[in-house]
Amino acid sequence: MKALAATAYGPPENLSLIELDVPRPGPGQMLVRIAASSLNPTDLRVAAGDYRAIVELTFPYVLGNDFAGTVTEVGAGVTAYEVGDEVFGQALPRQLSWVVADHLRPSLSTGALAEYAVVEADTPLLAHRPAAVPAEQAAALGITGLTALSIMAAARVTAGESVLVVGATGGVGTQVVPLLAAAGAMITATAGNAAAGDALRELGADRIISHDQADYPSGVDVLLDLTLPVDRLATAARSLRAGGRLITIIFPGPTPEQVGRDDVDVQFLLDPDGVAGGMRDVAEAAEKGLLRATIAHRFPFDQGVQAATAYAQRGKVGKIVVTM
């Protein structure tokens, strides 16, 4: 089978499409023929070596977390799925198991940016794909849809509250902005260009600002950090009113000292067990039309390296999906 892999640490231009044996499922696992997969920041950061202080990769390293596909084989003990089932969700490549090492039902895989992947069957981060949700949509909804639902549950936004969304043009941002608009929030969103701003307005944003932190408003009720590293949070946090809420999804989570505010509520969202909600919730929300992925570009699998390179560039709105 073909797989998009890193053969050494480096930028996305150094990735390769390589040939590997089709993996086989063991007990509690299933083999999925991938129909579509989408890229995430962690894919490129791991391949670039950003986490070498935590784990050294063994190469080749197959990328890919979010996917949609068809079950082609099940291992012993799998009862929730059978051959022919359409499934979707998120599953970390096994070399990143340190993220979920202490968890009960980790969702791991052999890498979803491949023609086939072996995944764990007993995890809330996988689900049957509704027939009404196309595979490309489902592949773009795994992390982003679940994160958007988790953000809304954590933020507890009420009508009339002001929300600053930093990193609004990404996969999570384009999911959460419509949810915030439906909740009646007054949304300020960051965008890198006029076209991106127009796209965010169509999704429900009220005001568009640049990425320059000098443009951030003051006195907002909620700050959603979807892109800033911890060393830039203190400046961003100044936009919050006293008693406001800061929610960040960027690993690693900040300490109070790094935020520089002792008068705001700070939450770091990382839920590898799906405690706050699982992929079935995403499937239900997508089937009802509450979640819909914004897809910036679609690439065929033979252009996987170009897809990764495009993902690293700024200015796009939404997800990049690779179809097999």
Side-chain angles (χ1 to χ4, degrees):
M1 71 169 189
K2 291 184 174 65
L4 182 65
T7 55
Y9 291 113
E13 294 85 354
N14 290 2
L15 298 173
S16 304
L17 280 176
I18 64 173
E19 287 285 344
L20 293 173
D21 292 336
V22 175
R24 298 297 304 276
Q29 299 175 336
M30 56 188 181
L31 179 66
V32 176
R33 183 176 70 245
I34 305 297
S37 183
S38 64
L39 286 150
N40 291 287
T42 302
D43 291 315
L44 302 190
R45 292 187 66 187
V46 170
D50 290 1
Y51 296 117
R52 292 185 72 176
I54 303 173
V55 62
E56 283 282 352
L57 295 181
T58 299
F59 297 107
Y61 170 77
V62 178
L63 285 70
N65 189 326
D66 286 347
F67 72 93
T70 307
V71 176
T72 60
E73 186 178 351
V74 296
V78 175
T79 58
Y81 301 94
E82 59 186 28
V83 172
D85 282 355
E86 297 294 332
V87 297
F88 81 108
Q90 56 171 297
L92 283 171
R94 289 174 181 167
Q95 291 194 52
L96 304 186
S97 61
W98 52 269
V99 176
V100 292
D102 297 327
H103 300 272
L104 296 176
R105 293 187 291 166
S107 188
L108 301 172
S109 80
T110 53
L113 277 161
E115 291 178 312
Y116 289 86
V118 165
V119 299
E120 303 295 329
D122 183 22
T123 165
L125 300 186
L126 301 184
H128 290 89
R129 175 173 66 85
V133 182
E136 291 182 14
Q137 273 285 313
L141 282 173
I143 290 176
T144 60
L146 192 57
T147 303
L149 293 179
S150 296
I151 287 172
M152 294 303 296
R156 308 179 309 280
V157 172
T158 58
E161 284 195 304
S162 56
V163 182
L164 170 59
V165 185
V166 179
T169 56
V172 175
T174 51
Q175 292 281 352
V176 82
V177 165
L179 296 177
L180 290 168
M186 299 299 295
I187 306 164
T188 299
T190 62
N193 55 57
D198 290 342
L200 290 174
R201 286 190 181 91
E202 290 183 9
L203 291 173
D206 299 288
R207 180 188 176 197
I208 305 300
I209 61 173
S210 75
H211 294 299
D212 188 343
Q213 292 187 331
D215 291 339
Y216 288 7
S218 60
V220 299
D221 297 300
V222 180
L223 168 63
L224 301 183
D225 168 35
L226 311 181
T227 189
L228 295 177
V230 292
D231 60 355
R232 297 186 62 197
L233 270 185
T235 302
R238 296 173 190 164
S239 63
L240 284 166
R241 65 168 175 81
R245 289 103 72 194
L246 188 160
I247 296 174
T248 179
I249 64 170
I250 304 304
F251 180 86
T255 64
E257 293 75 21
Q258 288 171 316
V259 173
R261 294 282 301 266
D262 60 5
D263 60 342
V264 299
D265 177 41
V266 179
Q267 296 186 61
F268 166 56
L269 292 186
L270 180 65
D271 184 20
D273 277 337
V275 172
M279 212 53 59
R280 289 183 182 178
D281 300 308
V282 174
E284 181 179 345
E287 194 169 26
K288 292 179 178 177
L290 301 177
L291 287 176
R292 179 173 176 79
T294 298
I295 298 177
H297 300 289
R298 297 168 174 84
F299 288 84
F301 193 41
D302 61 3
Q303 296 179 15
V305 177
Q306 293 94 316
T309 302
Y311 186 80
Q313 298 170 352
R314 306 188 83 178
K316 63 189 176 300
V317 179
K319 297 282 288 182
I320 286 183
V321 173
V322 178
T323 57
M324 309 308 176

